[in-house]
Amino acid sequence: PFLAGAMLRSLARAGPARGLATGAATVAGSTVKCTFILAKQKQKVTVPGMVGWTLLDTAKHHNLPVNGIAADAPWDYVTFGEGPASVEDHVVVAQEFWETCLPVGYQEQDLLEKEERFKQPMSRLASCITLTKEMDGITVLVPETNQDLTNYV
């Protein structure tokens, strides 16, 4: 009883409770359309992706043939992340969406520069592009030169 009373007094001093959102949350409000042009398969596929997912997460969720490993957070003293690990998920972003993507990180840039076949100015790694609402309709080309290292030993 004493603890419950103290907790109630504490809440009363804190002021009114924060209100709930006025509009109903919808899945549609959290999704963006992503178009993958799959050069090797000669297909164009448009799928929904969730805001906050990476392009690689989206492709894997829909079983699209985009390989790769999710990138850790960029390296820092807090997370000790190691960034992107491979170039299997190389994509070429349509020019009209280039500015909506976050800038290329130094680790991603290093990987792309090491590969001669990725000399295209709009090259990115799908694991390093996190979807935002501004990216609704994003189109990327998945080049046929991408390697599949899934069964590499």
Side-chain angles (χ1 to χ4, degrees):
F2 174 75
L3 185 57
M7 194 189 286
L8 287 173
R9 284 190 295 280
S10 172
L11 288 172
R13 282 192 300 266
R18 201 170 96 204
L20 298 175
T22 56
T26 64
V27 172
S30 306
T31 60
V32 293
K33 287 182 183 174
C34 306
T35 299
F36 292 85
I37 299 172
L38 308 167
K40 199 177 284 184
Q41 291 76 16
K42 296 178 179 33
Q43 288 182 321
K44 179 178 174 181
V45 181
T46 301
V47 295
M50 297 295 291
V51 170
W53 283 5
T54 65
L55 271 177
L56 181 60
D57 294 334
T58 303
K60 285 187 171 195
H61 180 79
H62 294 286
N63 296 317
L64 298 178
V66 180
N67 298 304
I69 300 168
D72 291 339
W75 192 92
D76 63 24
Y77 287 102
V78 177
T79 64
F80 299 108
E82 296 190 15
S86 80
V87 291
E88 291 179 272
D89 59 329
H90 169 240
V91 295
V92 180
V93 178
Q95 187 170 2
E96 60 268 22
F97 290 99
W98 181 256
E99 294 297 320
T100 63
C101 299
L102 290 175
V104 179
Y106 74 92
Q107 294 158 316
E108 179 182 9
Q109 188 68 42
D110 285 349
L111 282 173
L112 290 170
E113 286 175 356
K114 287 177 186 173
E115 292 290 331
E116 288 291 320
R117 63 183 186 260
F118 300 155
K119 292 290 185 187
Q120 300 178 44
M122 304 293 175
S123 287
R124 293 294 304 267
L125 298 178
S127 62
C128 296
I129 299 175
T130 302
L131 297 175
T132 64
K133 198 63 182 157
E134 293 75 33
M135 292 180 183
D136 192 27
I138 189 169
T139 300
V140 296
L141 168 70
V142 180
E144 60 185 87
T145 55
N146 281 11
Q147 293 177 319
D148 180 0
L149 301 176
T150 307
N151 297 317
Y152 183 76
V153 210

